[in-house]
Structures are given as structure tokens and as C-alpha cells.
């Protein structure tokens, strides 16, 4: 597991607790009072560390390899999932997964970015960075959902769209732009959830929904902190400074009205308790679909239009 620098005092304290427990078991000496005191201290330190995280620290947690992925949530939240492949034009992009499933017995289409947990899996998934065929696959599945009146659930977790030459040759920007246009016009309920990184247009191509929810320790931005630091200060090592200035966390975006809800995470991050996290996400999907089910097909499009039209409102004083 990744060792984040701001977590190290807590990790060291927990090691001491485990050592005392092991010593108690082996030597038969009672250290229960000392262990109880250290566990209380660890609990207080945990609250102190995770209760006041900076934007950069949240970014680090959002990027953790052990964070639950789209497929982890699909397994726990949906039933009867059938994965569908290919864009019917070029190939199948493993960085985006999607298909048909049931949510509480209701047929839905579920789509999401998919990262890997180790080097081999990340290479297979292209580190969660889709090619144009990935976005075209997602669009194909969404068009099918619109045709058969199935709600669409999108999970967002990508550093951004793949910037390679092949992706550009096959129309990366056009594929993203087409997704934005088409998603705005679908006449079914659409719920988008940021479960890790929401990087630039690569994330937005799955993000034009009626509701956008974000997990508590996630980010959503037009550029990575490293990219912003390189542009602003010509120094990518100043990513922490950039992250803390960019307003990219779930809390920032909820304040600005871009995010419609913040889904609580277990203390320390979603990877600490995947089942708990899945149940929290499920609650938000249930409520979102319940609210949207009251709208007609035309009203769903209007709802989505007004959501995005209201972002960045300003007042002109003459």
C-alpha cells in the first residue's frame, strides 16, 4: 500500500500498538493500559490528520492505487452486469468499461473509467486514460440506453484523456466533444459520480449528467496540479502549491454549485471500507433516480441544460 507522508505519524503509532500487543501475547506481560492509551492517541491523531486535509492531500488520496475502481463498485452496487465491448469502428478501449446491469431490479446502463492496481494492470487499462474509441464505446452504450429508456450511471476516475499521437490521429478531441453534445440531449436520467480523479475533458466526457456527485476525497479540475504548476511557474514540483490554489476538491465544487452532493467516505479514504463506500454511493444513486423519475423525458433535458447553464453565473453592474 502507498505510504503517504502525512499519514506516517499515524502508521508509526499503529506499529507501536501492534508491537505491544505481540509482546503481550509472547511474554505474557500485561500492557493493556499502555495499549489503551496509545489507541486513544491514535484515534485522536486520525481525526486530526483526516479531518483537516489540504487539497493536495486529498489529491494524493484520490490517486491511491488501492482506491476502489468502477468494477469494484459495479460488483457491489449492481446485479446482473453484462459488460459490452467495442465502439463498432476501431476497437475496444480497456480504460473504459460499461454495460447493462440492474439497480434494485431496474435495468440501467453503467459506464466508468477503469484504472489498474499494479503496473501490469495499469498498462492493460492504460492508467485509466481513454482513447477516442473508449469515448465512442461509452457514447454507443448511452445511445442504446436512451433508445430503451434506461437510466445512465457514470463513474469518473481518470487523470485525463490519453494524449498520444494515435489518439489524436483517431480524433480524440472530436470524440470528447461529441460526447458532451450528445449527453446534453439524452432523455433519460443521468447520474455522474467522481470516485477518484476527475481530469479535464477526459472526465467531462462522462460528466454531463443531471446530477454530479463526488466522493469526499476526490478532485475534479480542468488540469492536473502538476500541469498547472508547469504552466504557472514552469516547475511541476510545485504541484502542491497549485492544488491548494485551484479549488479542485469536492468541497470546493459543492460550494461553487458544480457538484450536487458530497458522498461521505470512511475516515482515511474509500479504500478503508469498500463495502461501506458502496452503500453510501448506492444511497445517492437511489435518491437521485427517485428525484429524476418525477421528470418527463423533455424535462430531464431541460433540467440538465439549466444545471450547466447556471455554472459560472455572474452579475453585471452598469
Amino acid at each position: 500500500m502507498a505510504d503517504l507522508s502525512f499519514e506516517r505519524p499515524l502508521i508509526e503509532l499503529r506499529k507501536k500498538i501492534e508491537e505491544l500487543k505481540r509482546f503481550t501475547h509472547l511474554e505474557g506481560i500485561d500492557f493493556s493500559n499502555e495499549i489503551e492509551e496509545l489507541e486513544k492517541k491514535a484515534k485522536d491523531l486520525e481525526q486530526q490528520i483526516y479531518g483537516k486535509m489540504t487539497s493536495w492531500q486529498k489529491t494524493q488520496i484520490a490517486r491511491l492505487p488501492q482506491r476502489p475502481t468502477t468494477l469494484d463498485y459495479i460488483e457491489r452496487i449492481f446485479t446482473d452486469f453484462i459488460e459490452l465491448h467495442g465502439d463498432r469502428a476501431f476497437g475496444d478501449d480497456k480504460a473504459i468499461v460499461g454495460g447493462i446491469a440492474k439497480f434494485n431490479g431496474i435495468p440501467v446502463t453503467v459506464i466508468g473509467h477503469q484504472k489498474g492496481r499494479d503496473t501490469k494492470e495499469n498498462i492493460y487499462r492504460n492508467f485509466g486514460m481513454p482513447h477516442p474509441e473508449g469515448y465512442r464505446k461509452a457514447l454507443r452504450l448511452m445511445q442504446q440506453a436512451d433508445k430503451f429508456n434506461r437510466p445512465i450511471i457514470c463513474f469518473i476516475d481518470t487523470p485525463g484523456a490519453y494524449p498520444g499521437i494515435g489518439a489524436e490521429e483517431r480524433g480524440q478531441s472530436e470524440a470528447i466533444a461529441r460526447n458532451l453534445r450528445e449527453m446534453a440531449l439524452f432523455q433519460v436520467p443521468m447520474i455522474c459520480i467522481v470516485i477518484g480523479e476527475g481530469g479535464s475533458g477526459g472526465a467531462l466526457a462522462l460528466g454531463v449528467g443531471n446530477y454530479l456527485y463526488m466522493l469526499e476525497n476526490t478532485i475534479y479540475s480542468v488540469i492536473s496540479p502538476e500541469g498547472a504548476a508547469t504552466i504557472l511557474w514552469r516547475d511541476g514540483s510545485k504541484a502542491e502549491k497549485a492544488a491548494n490554489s485551484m479549488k479542485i476538491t469536492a468541497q470546493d465544487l459543492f460550494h461553487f454549485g458544480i457538484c450536487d452532493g458530497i458522498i461521505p467516505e470512511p475516515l482515511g479514504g474509500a479504500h478503508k471500507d469498500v463495502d461501506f463506500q458502496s452503500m453510501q454511493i448506492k444511497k445517492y444513486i437511489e435518491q437521485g433516480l427517485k428525484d429524476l423519475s418525477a421528470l418527463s423525458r423533455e424535462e430531464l433535458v431541460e433540467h440538465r441544460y439549466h444545471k450547466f447553464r447556471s455554472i459560472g453565473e455572474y452579475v453585471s453592474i452598469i
Side-chain angles (χ1 to χ4, degrees):
M1 292 179 71
D3 182 11
L4 302 178
S5 59
F6 65 90
E7 291 183 319
R8 283 174 193 158
L10 182 60
I11 291 170
E12 292 300 319
L13 189 54
R14 283 175 174 160
K15 283 181 181 177
K16 289 180 182 178
I17 293 171
E18 289 305 313
E19 286 173 7
L20 276 180
K21 286 181 177 179
R22 189 163 51 250
F23 193 75
T24 298
H25 177 72
L26 292 174
E27 303 297 332
I29 303 173
D30 185 12
F31 284 109
S32 57
N33 290 335
E34 289 82 356
I35 291 171
E36 185 179 345
E37 186 65 29
L38 286 176
E39 284 180 338
K40 183 178 180 299
K41 187 176 179 182
K43 191 173 182 180
D44 291 341
L45 186 58
E46 198 173 44
Q47 292 287 347
Q48 182 183 335
I49 290 173
Y50 297 126
K52 297 180 180 179
M53 286 192 293
T54 65
S55 296
W56 178 242
Q57 289 168 342
K58 286 179 182 290
T59 301
Q60 290 177 292
I61 286 186
R63 292 172 169 176
L64 281 175
Q66 59 265 34
R67 259 186 99 80
T69 65
T70 292
L71 287 175
D72 291 323
Y73 290 128
I74 288 175
E75 178 185 346
R76 289 167 174 81
I77 296 172
F78 304 90
T79 58
D80 304 314
F81 175 64
I82 301 173
E83 185 175 355
L84 302 176
H85 300 272
D87 67 341
R88 303 296 185 267
F90 181 82
D92 185 43
D93 188 350
K94 304 299 183 183
I96 286 185
V97 297
I100 305 167
K102 286 186 178 178
F103 179 77
N104 291 341
I106 301 170
V108 299
T109 289
V110 56
I111 303 165
H113 301 96
Q114 181 65 30
K115 290 181 177 179
R117 285 220 165 79
D118 54 35
T119 303
K120 183 178 179 181
E121 194 177 342
N122 266 317
I123 291 172
Y124 178 70
R125 298 289 181 183
N126 200 36
F127 295 84
M129 296 185 292
H131 292 78
E133 51 271 21
Y135 294 117
R136 291 177 178 133
K137 172 170 70 172
L139 180 59
R140 179 176 75 83
L141 299 183
M142 288 187 278
Q143 288 170 334
Q144 182 192 76
D146 189 55
K147 178 179 179 179
F148 293 103
N149 201 32
R150 289 194 298 264
I152 299 169
I153 314 295
C154 293
F155 291 103
I156 297 169
D157 185 17
T158 180
Y162 184 61
I165 293 175
E168 295 299 330
E169 288 175 340
R170 296 194 298 278
Q172 184 73 286
S173 57
E174 186 274 340
I176 292 173
R178 184 178 294 272
N179 275 30
L180 303 184
R181 185 187 70 183
E182 297 298 319
M183 289 181 79
L185 299 174
F186 289 137
Q187 297 183 321
V188 293
M190 299 179 66
I191 295 176
C192 307
I193 305 166
V194 182
I195 59 173
E197 288 183 272
S200 194
L204 189 59
L206 294 186
V208 184
N210 295 95
Y211 290 132
L212 172 70
Y213 300 131
M214 296 180 67
L215 269 60
E216 187 177 350
N217 299 311
T218 59
I219 59 172
Y220 198 30
S221 66
V222 297
I223 192 171
S224 69
E226 292 84 355
T230 301
I231 291 171
L232 293 173
W233 301 293
R234 300 184 184 277
D235 185 356
S237 66
K238 293 184 177 179
E240 180 174 357
K241 180 180 178 181
N244 292 332
S245 305
M246 290 168 64
K247 307 298 182 185
I248 60 178
T249 67
Q251 294 75 18
D252 292 323
L253 296 181
F254 183 74
H255 173 73
F256 293 129
I258 297 170
C259 164
D260 298 295
I262 300 174
I263 303 176
E265 293 190 29
L267 204 61
H271 57 290
K272 300 289 186 179
D273 191 339
V274 184
D275 291 332
F276 169 83
Q277 190 62 71
S278 300
M279 288 304 298
Q280 294 300 310
I281 293 174
K282 186 175 182 179
K283 288 177 184 177
Y284 274 75
I285 296 175
E286 284 174 342
Q287 187 59 52
L289 291 180
K290 182 180 177 182
D291 294 342
L292 295 172
S293 66
L295 303 179
S296 68
R297 289 174 67 87
E298 293 75 18
E299 287 171 334
L300 286 167
V301 177
E302 192 71 11
H303 177 278
R304 208 172 302 128
Y305 170 80
H306 285 295
K307 170 183 169 55
F308 284 89
R309 190 69 178 86
S310 65
I311 294 175
E313 283 186 339
Y314 63 92
V315 178
S316 178
I317 301 175
I318 299 177

